PDB file of all heavy atoms in Angstrom:
ATOM      1  N   PRO A  18       0.831  -1.232   0.000  1.00 72.00           N
ATOM      2  CA  PRO A  18       0.000   0.000   0.000  1.00 72.00           C
ATOM      3  C   PRO A  18       0.850   1.260   0.000  1.00 72.00           C
ATOM      4  O   PRO A  18       0.506   2.246  -0.634  1.00 72.00           O
ATOM      5  CB  PRO A  18      -0.826  -0.132   1.289  1.00 72.00           C
ATOM      6  CG  PRO A  18      -0.826  -1.596   1.602  1.00 72.00           C
ATOM      7  CD  PRO A  18       0.478  -2.134   1.137  1.00 72.00           C
ATOM      8  N   GLU A  19       1.979   1.256   0.767  1.00 75.00           N
ATOM      9  CA  GLU A  19       2.788   2.461   0.831  1.00 75.00           C
ATOM     10  C   GLU A  19       3.339   2.822  -0.550  1.00 75.00           C
ATOM     11  O   GLU A  19       3.339   3.996  -0.956  1.00 75.00           O
ATOM     12  CB  GLU A  19       3.964   2.262   1.827  1.00 75.00           C
ATOM     13  CG  GLU A  19       3.539   2.068   3.262  1.00 75.00           C
ATOM     14  CD  GLU A  19       3.145   0.615   3.555  1.00 75.00           C
ATOM     15  OE1 GLU A  19       3.246  -0.231   2.615  1.00 75.00           O
ATOM     16  OE2 GLU A  19       2.716   0.322   4.682  1.00 75.00           O
ATOM     17  N   LEU A  20       3.813   1.817  -1.252  1.00 69.00           N
ATOM     18  CA  LEU A  20       4.370   2.074  -2.590  1.00 69.00           C
ATOM     19  C   LEU A  20       3.275   2.526  -3.558  1.00 69.00           C
ATOM     20  O   LEU A  20       3.482   3.374  -4.423  1.00 69.00           O
ATOM     21  CB  LEU A  20       5.048   0.801  -3.122  1.00 69.00           C
ATOM     22  CG  LEU A  20       5.861   0.951  -4.414  1.00 69.00           C
ATOM     23  CD1 LEU A  20       6.954   2.017  -4.217  1.00 69.00           C
ATOM     24  CD2 LEU A  20       6.495  -0.385  -4.791  1.00 69.00           C
ATOM     25  N   TYR A  21       2.081   1.974  -3.381  1.00 73.00           N
ATOM     26  CA  TYR A  21       0.939   2.377  -4.227  1.00 73.00           C
ATOM     27  C   TYR A  21       0.605   3.853  -3.997  1.00 73.00           C
ATOM     28  O   TYR A  21       0.376   4.615  -4.946  1.00 73.00           O
ATOM     29  CB  TYR A  21      -0.277   1.506  -3.904  1.00 73.00           C
ATOM     30  CG  TYR A  21      -1.505   1.906  -4.691  1.00 73.00           C
ATOM     31  CD1 TYR A  21      -1.678   1.496  -6.021  1.00 73.00           C
ATOM     32  CD2 TYR A  21      -2.479   2.721  -4.104  1.00 73.00           C
ATOM     33  CE1 TYR A  21      -2.785   1.879  -6.726  1.00 73.00           C
ATOM     34  CE2 TYR A  21      -3.584   3.105  -4.816  1.00 73.00           C
ATOM     35  CZ  TYR A  21      -3.749   2.680  -6.133  1.00 73.00           C
ATOM     36  OH  TYR A  21      -4.844   3.068  -6.848  1.00 73.00           O
ATOM     37  N   ASP A  22       0.603   4.284  -2.710  1.00 76.00           N
ATOM     38  CA  ASP A  22       0.297   5.681  -2.402  1.00 76.00           C
ATOM     39  C   ASP A  22       1.350   6.611  -2.981  1.00 76.00           C
ATOM     40  O   ASP A  22       1.047   7.690  -3.519  1.00 76.00           O
ATOM     41  CB  ASP A  22       0.223   5.877  -0.874  1.00 76.00           C
ATOM     42  CG  ASP A  22      -0.995   5.187  -0.283  1.00 76.00           C
ATOM     43  OD1 ASP A  22      -1.955   4.927  -1.051  1.00 76.00           O
ATOM     44  OD2 ASP A  22      -0.978   4.927   0.940  1.00 76.00           O
ATOM     45  N   LYS A  23       2.646   6.215  -2.862  1.00 74.00           N
ATOM     46  CA  LYS A  23       3.711   7.057  -3.423  1.00 74.00           C
ATOM     47  C   LYS A  23       3.547   7.201  -4.948  1.00 74.00           C
ATOM     48  O   LYS A  23       3.743   8.271  -5.514  1.00 74.00           O
ATOM     49  CB  LYS A  23       5.074   6.449  -3.109  1.00 74.00           C
ATOM     50  CG  LYS A  23       5.488   6.580  -1.652  1.00 74.00           C
ATOM     51  CD  LYS A  23       6.886   5.982  -1.436  1.00 74.00           C
ATOM     52  CE  LYS A  23       7.320   6.109   0.025  1.00 74.00           C
ATOM     53  NZ  LYS A  23       8.671   5.548   0.239  1.00 74.00           N
ATOM     54  N   THR A  24       3.238   6.061  -5.567  1.00 74.00           N
ATOM     55  CA  THR A  24       3.066   6.105  -7.040  1.00 74.00           C
ATOM     56  C   THR A  24       1.907   7.021  -7.429  1.00 74.00           C
ATOM     57  O   THR A  24       1.986   7.813  -8.376  1.00 74.00           O
ATOM     58  CB  THR A  24       2.813   4.684  -7.583  1.00 74.00           C
ATOM     59  OG1 THR A  24       3.868   3.837  -7.180  1.00 74.00           O
ATOM     60  CG2 THR A  24       2.728   4.720  -9.110  1.00 74.00           C
ATOM     61  N   THR A  25       0.807   6.927  -6.683  1.00 77.00           N
ATOM     62  CA  THR A  25      -0.362   7.792  -6.954  1.00 77.00           C
ATOM     63  C   THR A  25       0.010   9.260  -6.779  1.00 77.00           C
ATOM     64  O   THR A  25      -0.373  10.127  -7.593  1.00 77.00           O
ATOM     65  CB  THR A  25      -1.516   7.426  -6.000  1.00 77.00           C
ATOM     66  OG1 THR A  25      -1.858   6.052  -6.189  1.00 77.00           O
ATOM     67  CG2 THR A  25      -2.740   8.294  -6.301  1.00 77.00           C
ATOM     68  N   ASN A  26       0.760   9.575  -5.732  1.00 78.00           N
ATOM     69  CA  ASN A  26       1.164  10.969  -5.502  1.00 78.00           C
ATOM     70  C   ASN A  26       2.046  11.477  -6.640  1.00 78.00           C
ATOM     71  O   ASN A  26       1.951  12.634  -7.063  1.00 78.00           O
ATOM     72  CB  ASN A  26       1.915  11.085  -4.171  1.00 78.00           C
ATOM     73  CG  ASN A  26       0.994  10.874  -2.985  1.00 78.00           C
ATOM     74  OD1 ASN A  26      -0.209  11.111  -3.092  1.00 78.00           O
ATOM     75  ND2 ASN A  26       1.541  10.435  -1.860  1.00 78.00           N
ATOM     76  N   LEU A  27       2.960  10.591  -7.109  1.00 74.00           N
ATOM     77  CA  LEU A  27       3.820  10.996  -8.229  1.00 74.00           C
ATOM     78  C   LEU A  27       2.996  11.262  -9.487  1.00 74.00           C
ATOM     79  O   LEU A  27       3.270  12.202 -10.240  1.00 74.00           O
ATOM     80  CB  LEU A  27       4.872   9.914  -8.496  1.00 74.00           C
ATOM     81  CG  LEU A  27       6.013   9.804  -7.475  1.00 74.00           C
ATOM     82  CD1 LEU A  27       6.838   8.571  -7.756  1.00 74.00           C
ATOM     83  CD2 LEU A  27       6.883  11.059  -7.500  1.00 74.00           C
ATOM     84  N   LEU A  28       1.993  10.427  -9.736  1.00 77.00           N
ATOM     85  CA  LEU A  28       1.123  10.658 -10.904  1.00 77.00           C
ATOM     86  C   LEU A  28       0.368  11.979 -10.769  1.00 77.00           C
ATOM     87  O   LEU A  28       0.204  12.725 -11.740  1.00 77.00           O
ATOM     88  CB  LEU A  28       0.129   9.503 -11.049  1.00 77.00           C
ATOM     89  CG  LEU A  28       0.714   8.190 -11.585  1.00 77.00           C
ATOM     90  CD1 LEU A  28      -0.309   7.078 -11.500  1.00 77.00           C
ATOM     91  CD2 LEU A  28       1.200   8.371 -13.026  1.00 77.00           C
ATOM     92  N   ASP A  29      -0.130  12.282  -9.545  1.00 75.00           N
ATOM     93  CA  ASP A  29      -0.819  13.565  -9.331  1.00 75.00           C
ATOM     94  C   ASP A  29       0.123  14.726  -9.596  1.00 75.00           C
ATOM     95  O   ASP A  29      -0.254  15.746 -10.189  1.00 75.00           O
ATOM     96  CB  ASP A  29      -1.336  13.643  -7.894  1.00 75.00           C
ATOM     97  CG  ASP A  29      -2.512  12.699  -7.673  1.00 75.00           C
ATOM     98  OD1 ASP A  29      -3.136  12.296  -8.675  1.00 75.00           O
ATOM     99  OD2 ASP A  29      -2.794  12.377  -6.495  1.00 75.00           O
ATOM    100  N   GLU A  30       1.360  14.592  -9.119  1.00 75.00           N
ATOM    101  CA  GLU A  30       2.343  15.660  -9.328  1.00 75.00           C
ATOM    102  C   GLU A  30       2.627  15.854 -10.828  1.00 75.00           C
ATOM    103  O   GLU A  30       2.735  16.973 -11.325  1.00 75.00           O
ATOM    104  CB  GLU A  30       3.635  15.308  -8.585  1.00 75.00           C
ATOM    105  CG  GLU A  30       4.705  16.412  -8.692  1.00 75.00           C
ATOM    106  CD  GLU A  30       5.977  16.041  -7.945  1.00 75.00           C
ATOM    107  OE1 GLU A  30       5.983  15.009  -7.221  1.00 75.00           O
ATOM    108  OE2 GLU A  30       6.958  16.778  -8.098  1.00 75.00           O
ATOM    109  N   ALA A  31       2.745  14.713 -11.558  1.00 74.00           N
ATOM    110  CA  ALA A  31       2.978  14.810 -13.012  1.00 74.00           C
ATOM    111  C   ALA A  31       1.819  15.499 -13.702  1.00 74.00           C
ATOM    112  O   ALA A  31       1.995  16.335 -14.595  1.00 74.00           O
ATOM    113  CB  ALA A  31       3.188  13.397 -13.589  1.00 74.00           C
ATOM    114  N   TYR A  32       0.593  15.167 -13.273  1.00 65.00           N
ATOM    115  CA  TYR A  32      -0.589  15.808 -13.869  1.00 65.00           C
ATOM    116  C   TYR A  32      -0.575  17.325 -13.641  1.00 65.00           C
ATOM    117  O   TYR A  32      -0.846  18.117 -14.544  1.00 65.00           O
ATOM    118  CB  TYR A  32      -1.855  15.193 -13.273  1.00 65.00           C
ATOM    119  CG  TYR A  32      -3.098  15.977 -13.602  1.00 65.00           C
ATOM    120  CD1 TYR A  32      -3.647  15.937 -14.896  1.00 65.00           C
ATOM    121  CD2 TYR A  32      -3.709  16.787 -12.647  1.00 65.00           C
ATOM    122  CE1 TYR A  32      -4.768  16.680 -15.191  1.00 65.00           C
ATOM    123  CE2 TYR A  32      -4.826  17.521 -12.942  1.00 65.00           C
ATOM    124  CZ  TYR A  32      -5.359  17.463 -14.228  1.00 65.00           C
ATOM    125  OH  TYR A  32      -6.474  18.203 -14.535  1.00 65.00           O
ATOM    126  N   LEU A  33      -0.229  17.728 -12.398  1.00 69.00           N
ATOM    127  CA  LEU A  33      -0.212  19.156 -12.082  1.00 69.00           C
ATOM    128  C   LEU A  33       0.849  19.882 -12.898  1.00 69.00           C
ATOM    129  O   LEU A  33       0.648  21.014 -13.336  1.00 69.00           O
ATOM    130  CB  LEU A  33       0.047  19.360 -10.585  1.00 69.00           C
ATOM    131  CG  LEU A  33      -1.093  18.943  -9.651  1.00 69.00           C
ATOM    132  CD1 LEU A  33      -0.657  19.052  -8.196  1.00 69.00           C
ATOM    133  CD2 LEU A  33      -2.328  19.821  -9.903  1.00 69.00           C
ATOM    134  N   LYS A  34       2.009  19.256 -13.115  1.00 69.00           N
ATOM    135  CA  LYS A  34       3.061  19.900 -13.901  1.00 69.00           C
ATOM    136  C   LYS A  34       2.614  20.060 -15.368  1.00 69.00           C
ATOM    137  O   LYS A  34       2.854  21.089 -16.000  1.00 69.00           O
ATOM    138  CB  LYS A  34       4.346  19.077 -13.824  1.00 69.00           C
ATOM    139  CG  LYS A  34       5.072  19.196 -12.480  1.00 69.00           C
ATOM    140  CD  LYS A  34       6.406  18.481 -12.502  1.00 69.00           C
ATOM    141  CE  LYS A  34       7.109  18.670 -11.153  1.00 69.00           C
ATOM    142  NZ  LYS A  34       7.457  20.068 -10.916  1.00 69.00           N
ATOM    143  N   ILE A  35       2.000  18.986 -15.920  1.00 69.00           N
ATOM    144  CA  ILE A  35       1.505  19.078 -17.307  1.00 69.00           C
ATOM    145  C   ILE A  35       0.457  20.187 -17.409  1.00 69.00           C
ATOM    146  O   ILE A  35       0.452  20.995 -18.334  1.00 69.00           O
ATOM    147  CB  ILE A  35       0.902  17.727 -17.744  1.00 69.00           C
ATOM    148  CG1 ILE A  35       2.016  16.684 -17.871  1.00 69.00           C
ATOM    149  CG2 ILE A  35       0.175  17.874 -19.081  1.00 69.00           C
ATOM    150  CD1 ILE A  35       1.512  15.280 -18.103  1.00 69.00           C
ATOM    151  N   ARG A  36      -0.458  20.246 -16.416  1.00 56.00           N
ATOM    152  CA  ARG A  36      -1.489  21.278 -16.421  1.00 56.00           C
ATOM    153  C   ARG A  36      -0.877  22.679 -16.307  1.00 56.00           C
ATOM    154  O   ARG A  36      -1.309  23.633 -16.961  1.00 56.00           O
ATOM    155  CB  ARG A  36      -2.447  21.039 -15.261  1.00 56.00           C
ATOM    156  CG  ARG A  36      -3.672  21.946 -15.261  1.00 56.00           C
ATOM    157  CD  ARG A  36      -4.644  21.504 -14.173  1.00 56.00           C
ATOM    158  NE  ARG A  36      -5.824  22.357 -14.182  1.00 56.00           N
ATOM    159  CZ  ARG A  36      -5.941  23.495 -13.496  1.00 56.00           C
ATOM    160  NH1 ARG A  36      -4.931  23.914 -12.768  1.00 56.00           N
ATOM    161  NH2 ARG A  36      -7.038  24.200 -13.552  1.00 56.00           N
ATOM    162  N   SER A  37       0.197  22.791 -15.493  1.00 58.00           N
ATOM    163  CA  SER A  37       0.859  24.088 -15.326  1.00 58.00           C
ATOM    164  C   SER A  37       1.499  24.550 -16.625  1.00 58.00           C
ATOM    165  O   SER A  37       1.411  25.718 -17.001  1.00 58.00           O
ATOM    166  CB  SER A  37       1.914  23.976 -14.228  1.00 58.00           C
ATOM    167  OG  SER A  37       2.656  25.162 -14.124  1.00 58.00           O
ATOM    168  N   ILE A  38       2.164  23.572 -17.321  1.00 62.00           N
ATOM    169  CA  ILE A  38       2.807  23.933 -18.603  1.00 62.00           C
ATOM    170  C   ILE A  38       1.748  24.329 -19.628  1.00 62.00           C
ATOM    171  O   ILE A  38       1.891  25.319 -20.358  1.00 62.00           O
ATOM    172  CB  ILE A  38       3.650  22.748 -19.112  1.00 62.00           C
ATOM    173  CG1 ILE A  38       4.845  22.525 -18.187  1.00 62.00           C
ATOM    174  CG2 ILE A  38       4.127  23.008 -20.546  1.00 62.00           C
ATOM    175  CD1 ILE A  38       5.614  21.240 -18.484  1.00 62.00           C
ATOM    176  N   ALA A  39       0.655  23.577 -19.702  1.00 51.00           N
ATOM    177  CA  ALA A  39      -0.414  23.896 -20.653  1.00 51.00           C
ATOM    178  C   ALA A  39      -1.028  25.251 -20.348  1.00 51.00           C
ATOM    179  O   ALA A  39      -1.336  26.036 -21.234  1.00 51.00           O
ATOM    180  CB  ALA A  39      -1.489  22.806 -20.618  1.00 51.00           C
ATOM    181  N   HIS A  40      -1.205  25.526 -19.011  1.00 49.00           N
ATOM    182  CA  HIS A  40      -1.770  26.820 -18.628  1.00 49.00           C
ATOM    183  C   HIS A  40      -0.835  27.961 -19.015  1.00 49.00           C
ATOM    184  O   HIS A  40      -1.266  29.002 -19.521  1.00 49.00           O
ATOM    185  CB  HIS A  40      -2.025  26.839 -17.135  1.00 49.00           C
ATOM    186  CG  HIS A  40      -2.559  28.162 -16.652  1.00 49.00           C
ATOM    187  ND1 HIS A  40      -3.852  28.576 -16.904  1.00 49.00           N
ATOM    188  CD2 HIS A  40      -1.959  29.161 -15.945  1.00 49.00           C
ATOM    189  CE1 HIS A  40      -4.027  29.769 -16.377  1.00 49.00           C
ATOM    190  NE2 HIS A  40      -2.902  30.151 -15.788  1.00 49.00           N
ATOM    191  N   ALA A  41       0.479  27.746 -18.812  1.00 49.00           N
ATOM    192  CA  ALA A  41       1.456  28.787 -19.179  1.00 49.00           C
ATOM    193  C   ALA A  41       1.447  29.022 -20.674  1.00 49.00           C
ATOM    194  O   ALA A  41       1.601  30.135 -21.148  1.00 49.00           O
ATOM    195  CB  ALA A  41       2.845  28.367 -18.706  1.00 49.00           C
TER     196      ALA A  41
END
């Protein structure tokens, strides 16, 4: 479960970065 949560957080972070670049 711990590794699953870390992976999910990394995916959320990647999504936010892509959204930030698209917004810019």
Side-chain angles (χ1 to χ4, degrees):
E19 295 83 2
L20 189 57
Y21 177 80
D22 291 339
K23 287 182 180 181
T24 304
T25 301
N26 290 334
L27 287 171
L28 286 172
D29 289 340
E30 183 180 352
Y32 168 74
L33 290 174
K34 286 186 178 295
I35 291 172
R36 187 173 181 271
S37 174
I38 292 171
H40 178 73

